[in-house]
Amino acid sequence: MISPLCSGRIVHHSYLHPAGCFFMLNILFPWNQKCVRMILFLRKQITSSKERRYMSTSKPAHHQDQSSESKVDKHALIFGLISVFLCGIGFSIIAPVVPFLVQPYISDPEKQAVMVTLLTSAYAACLFCAAPVLGALSDKYGRRPLLLLCLLGSAAGYFIFGLGGALWVLFAGRIIEGITGGSIGTIFAYFADILPPEQRTKYFGWVSAVVGAGTIIGPSLGGLLAKFGYSVPMYAGAAVTLLNVGYGFLFMPESLEKSKRLKVIPLVRLNPFSQLANLLSMKNLNRLFVSAFLLWIPNGSFQAIFSQFTLDNFSWKPVIIGVMFSIMGLQDILSQGFIMPKLLKRYTDRQIALLGMGSEIVGYILFALSALLAFYPLFIAGMFIFGFGDSVFGPSFNGMLSKSAAAGEQGRVQGGSQSIQALARMIGPLVGGQLYVSLGPAAPAFMGVILIGAAIPVLYTINRAEVLSK
């Protein structure tokens, strides 16, 4: 399931090789003896300077032909992977308890779902506006200060949300977290700085595995901690984020050399709507983005309403809600690690995307039936089918996106994609919340069926136009 943390599940257009999952498990879990030996080895390799150059341009030509693995600073790599792991935990740990934190401040139970979705929209709106600003600032001042600042902001947002006391305090926490929510984008820029181009696909696959691991652990941990109080998961999210801030402050070197930084930030780079204008100017990508936008709107609505939906229809507690979120994270890893490689051998990106969209429609139908019949097994079945569709649509969509744009437009296209996705996840919760209150819990799911049903022929038309033009 796509997480608002990064305005979406962190998905790269490449699939994740199963070996990447096992490698990341060896790194992340301290009880593994190989991991301990690796960390001890890496510690010996750290130089006295924190400003190490990751890919020195002054090396002789014969050094450039050596294995690209030798160009990667392992300590910086581990810091980046730990960062995305803790970010995944930090966000997902709070997911099961949001409606329970809102409940004391809402006198009318029917308005509770609206407030829950408004909180999600507030986060997405701040992320939409702040992401290009944070990206530009990191290009000018370096990744290290911006990343540490973003992580501090996220920790403050979690703490304020957990502190509560009034509804406006909850919104303040989400707004602060949204404004500094560009940490994932900065981390990706950090990886791009330290990794040679030929190694990025592999390492970005590991990033997907790490985020999936955080998504698995976070919700279950949040549900368990909620037994000690609904605010405890928020404080835990703040704690793990602060832990990463401390680690980064002590060990994180700067990755962007001063000679490569922006001298002046163009004003156009600070305007998120310029990204949308760029997309509209790319005629060969218009329909591709329209189809994805129609899918992202109900997805954003579903994520925002998920906890409230299960609370109202099945009276689930935070522990069960957390387990369901974890299942989605586990399914994401399995799909990208084992299913996507097989699908890519037999089908095109377009066919896989259509398969994912069809699976999501089936999932939404089961969600609606589970609400109408108050029968939770239908909801669980829908979760598995929807999760499969969501996990295969993302990589196939990014694959089509990257192949439809020229090499010099990749940054522009990917940045625009993130902007339009954030916009959809701002609109989706608002619309879904109103439908939930006005027409019942099944209404947002029916919206998903209708919008994705409309997106499928749009995506099919793109393929037909491409075939006819060849």
Side-chain angles (χ1 to χ4, degrees), residues 219-461:
S220 296
L221 181 60
L224 292 172
L225 291 175
K227 291 184 176 181
F228 304 99
Y230 295 137
S231 295
V232 174
M234 302 295 178
Y235 299 144
V240 296
T241 306
L242 285 175
L243 179 67
N244 199 31
V245 171
Y247 181 84
F249 182 79
L250 294 174
F251 298 106
M252 178 190 181
E254 179 55 64
S255 62
L256 185 62
E257 298 180 12
K258 291 183 179 180
S259 60
K260 298 180 180 179
R261 298 180 188 179
L262 284 180
K263 303 302 180 183
V264 179
I265 300 176
L267 291 179
V268 68
R269 289 199 55 181
L270 305 180
N271 183 3
F273 293 98
S274 65
Q275 298 283 2
L276 300 181
N278 286 338
L279 296 180
L280 295 177
S281 67
M282 299 179 182
K283 295 183 179 180
N284 59 320
L285 295 176
N286 278 344
R287 286 172 291 180
L288 181 60
F289 278 115
V290 167
S291 63
F293 185 73
L294 292 174
L295 179 138
W296 288 333
I297 287 178
N299 278 17
S301 172
F302 172 66
Q303 288 174 36
I305 210 69
F306 178 88
S307 298
Q308 190 68 46
F309 181 95
T310 57
L311 175 63
D312 292 341
N313 290 285
F314 314 126
S315 300
W316 282 1
K317 300 299 181 183
V319 174
I320 302 178
I321 297 173
V323 169
M324 292 306 300
F325 272 114
S326 296
I327 288 175
M328 293 287 286
L330 178 61
Q331 189 173 10
D332 189 25
I333 290 180
L334 294 177
S335 293
Q336 294 191 44
F338 299 98
I339 297 176
M340 278 299 292
K342 293 180 174 58
L343 290 177
L344 287 170
K345 290 179 181 179
R346 300 185 60 181
Y347 305 105
T348 64
D349 287 335
R350 182 195 69 94
Q351 291 171 326
I352 296 173
L354 290 172
L355 173 63
M357 296 168 83
S359 298
E360 289 198 23
I361 288 179
V362 175
Y364 281 125
I365 291 174
L366 293 176
F367 295 154
L369 290 176
S370 71
L372 295 174
L373 302 176
F375 190 56
Y376 72 84
L378 288 175
F379 180 80
I380 295 175
M383 285 285 290
F384 280 100
I385 297 174
F386 176 89
F388 166 76
D390 193 40
S391 66
V392 300
F393 175 82
S396 57
F397 168 78
N398 284 337
M400 288 186 290
L401 192 64
S402 64
K403 295 171 186 175
S404 300
E409 293 185 323
Q410 289 296 324
R412 178 187 178 195
V413 168
Q414 295 296 339
S417 175
Q418 292 302 309
S419 293
I420 198 170
Q421 189 174 104
L423 182 63
R425 298 188 184 288
M426 179 173 60
I427 296 173
L430 292 176
V431 177
Q434 291 298 324
L435 290 175
Y436 190 96
V437 172
S438 303
L439 303 178
F446 284 124
M447 175 182 69
V449 173
I450 294 171
L451 291 182
I452 299 180
I456 288 177
V458 175
L459 189 63
Y460 179 78
T461 303

Side-chain angles (χ1 to χ4, degrees), residues 62-257:
H62 69 275
H63 285 291
Q64 302 297 330
D65 296 331
Q66 292 177 353
S67 173
S68 59
E69 291 287 348
S70 62
K71 302 176 184 178
V72 180
D73 186 298
K74 302 297 184 180
H75 190 65
L77 177 63
I78 289 177
F79 167 77
L81 293 172
I82 291 175
S83 295
V84 294
F85 177 69
L86 292 181
C87 284
I89 288 182
F91 178 83
S92 60
I93 199 174
I94 73 174
V97 296
V98 172
F100 298 93
L101 288 172
V102 172
Q103 198 171 40
Y105 311 113
I106 304 297
S107 57
D108 185 357
E110 292 185 356
K111 294 182 179 179
Q112 184 173 325
V114 174
M115 287 302 164
V116 170
T117 54
L118 282 175
L119 286 167
T120 303
S121 292
Y123 173 91
C126 292
L127 183 63
F128 172 74
C129 294
V133 177
L134 293 172
L137 291 175
S138 74
D139 286 340
K140 180 174 175 59
Y141 299 106
R143 316 298 184 203
R144 186 177 189 272
L146 265 295
L147 182 54
L148 294 177
L149 179 64
C150 286
L151 292 174
L152 279 173
S154 294
Y158 294 144
F159 180 80
I160 292 173
F161 199 100
L163 196 62
L167 196 58
W168 71 267
V169 177
L170 300 184
F171 275 96
R174 292 300 280 167
I175 289 171
I176 292 172
E177 188 187 343
I179 291 174
T180 58
S183 57
I184 290 295
T186 308
I187 289 173
F188 266 98
Y190 187 76
F191 276 118
D193 292 339
I194 68 175
L195 297 173
E198 64 273 15
Q199 291 291 323
R200 289 174 189 168
T201 296
K202 178 179 70 174
Y203 284 109
F204 282 142
W206 292 353
V207 170
S208 296
V210 175
V211 174
T215 306
I216 292 171
I217 295 173
S220 296
L221 181 60
L224 292 172
L225 291 175
K227 291 184 176 181
F228 304 99
Y230 295 137
S231 295
V232 174
M234 302 295 178
Y235 299 144
V240 296
T241 306
L242 285 175
L243 179 67
N244 199 31
V245 171
Y247 181 84
F249 182 79
L250 294 174
F251 298 106
M252 178 190 181
E254 179 55 64
S255 62
L256 185 62
E257 298 180 12

